[in-house]
């Protein structure tokens, strides 16, 4: 029973680490999204200030303005640059989540293969059963991105739960 207990403990630890990491990444992504929304609001306010100054000048001077909005424009440019940097960071964090998910799939495959190797070594399964199961586990790993895409389709309401289950069954 030692092997199975060890396998269960390793699996629980791996799931715990993955959940903690995923939660941390989700918090970071949400913080970035909040900052992006605040920046967008500040940019809109800055644009409105420029427009207001323009309209006030035209109303008072009755001519085309030569008003100095360099400070506001610089502020807008800085916020647009910050927005772009935050979007890059958000994408990087999303990529990290994908890598973590892929590592989880790879770790699961490795554990399953080790269990199969042990079962084969103990003559608990035949060579054909071993190959069949190994092929089954490999298919999940090979279809990692497709599985992610199908799950995302369901999250976005593009496919139903039944369609999700059918597609996942076909991919695994």
């Amino acid at each position: 029973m030692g092997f199975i207990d060890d396998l269960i403990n390793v699996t629980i630890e791996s799931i715990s680490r993955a959940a903690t990491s995923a939660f941390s990444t989700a918090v970071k992504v949400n913080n970035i999204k909040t900052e992006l929304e605040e920046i967008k609001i500040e940019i809109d306010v800055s644009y409105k200030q420029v427009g207001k100054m323009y309209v006030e000048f035209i109303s008072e001077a009755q001519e085309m303005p030569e008003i100095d909005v360099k400070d506001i424009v610089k502020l807008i440019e800085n916020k647009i640059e910050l927005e772009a940097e935050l979007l890059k960071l958000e994408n990087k964090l999303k990529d990290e989540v994908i890598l973590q998910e892929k590592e989880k799939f790879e770790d699961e495959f490795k554990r399953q293969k080790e269990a199969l190797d042990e079962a084969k070594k103990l003559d608990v399964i035949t060579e054909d059963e071993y190959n069949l199961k190994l092929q089954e586990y490999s298919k999940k790993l090979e279809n990692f991105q497709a599985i992610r895409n199908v799950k995302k389709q369901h999250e976005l309401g593009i496919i139903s739960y039944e369609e999700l289950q059918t597609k996942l069954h076909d991919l695994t």
Side-chain angles (χ1 to χ4, degrees):
M1 280 307 223
F3 173 73
I4 293 175
D5 289 338
D6 289 345
L7 186 60
I8 290 171
N9 287 336
V10 167
T11 303
I12 290 170
E13 288 173 17
S14 176
I15 290 170
S16 176
R17 280 193 309 274
T20 301
S21 179
F23 177 76
S24 174
T25 302
V27 168
K28 288 177 187 175
V29 168
N30 283 337
N31 287 342
I32 289 171
K33 285 182 178 183
T34 301
E35 286 182 48
L36 283 171
E37 285 304 313
E38 290 172 3
I39 288 171
K40 286 178 183 179
I41 290 169
E42 290 174 9
I43 289 172
D44 286 343
V45 167
S46 298
Y47 280 129
K48 287 176 185 175
Q49 286 177 334
V50 170
K52 184 178 178 185
M53 290 172 67
Y54 182 80
V55 169
E56 286 174 355
F57 181 85
I58 290 176
S59 296
E60 291 174 10
Q62 296 297 318
E63 62 184 60
M64 292 308 286
E66 290 185 27
I67 53 176
D68 185 17
V69 291
K70 290 178 188 162
D71 292 342
I72 295 174
V73 170
K74 184 66 177 165
L75 179 68
I76 291 171
E77 288 171 351
N78 289 341
K79 290 182 186 218
I80 290 172
E81 287 175 19
L82 181 59
E83 181 180 27
E85 288 177 31
L86 287 172
L87 285 171
K88 284 180 191 174
L89 181 59
E90 181 181 16
N91 288 333
K92 181 181 174 189
L93 287 172
K94 287 179 181 178
D95 289 344
E96 286 179 17
V97 167
I98 292 170
L99 287 175
Q100 289 172 353
E101 286 179 24
K102 186 159 187 165
E103 284 178 15
K104 186 177 98 175
F105 265 68
E106 289 169 348
D107 288 346
E108 181 181 336
F109 173 78
K110 192 169 142 184
R111 281 191 305 278
Q112 291 168 333
K113 184 173 182 326
E114 288 171 356
L116 282 175
D117 290 343
E118 183 71 18
K120 183 178 166 190
K121 181 177 151 186
L122 297 172
D123 288 327
V124 175
I125 60 174
T126 66
E127 183 73 28
D128 289 339
E129 290 172 318
Y130 175 87
N131 290 332
L132 185 64
K133 281 294 186 182
L134 189 60
Q135 183 180 16
E136 194 178 297
Y137 296 150
S138 296
K139 187 176 179 182
K140 287 180 186 178
L141 189 59
E142 291 166 5
N143 291 326
F144 166 75
Q145 189 60 46
I147 291 169
R148 281 192 90 253
N149 291 344
V150 167
K151 288 179 178 178
K152 194 65 171 176
Q153 290 172 6
H154 179 259
E155 284 177 27
L156 296 173
I158 296 170
I159 61 173
S160 68
Y161 180 77
E162 292 77 22
E163 290 172 302
L164 169 70
Q165 293 304 314
T166 301
K167 288 184 176 191
L168 287 178
H169 182 267
D170 292 343
L171 292 169
T172 57

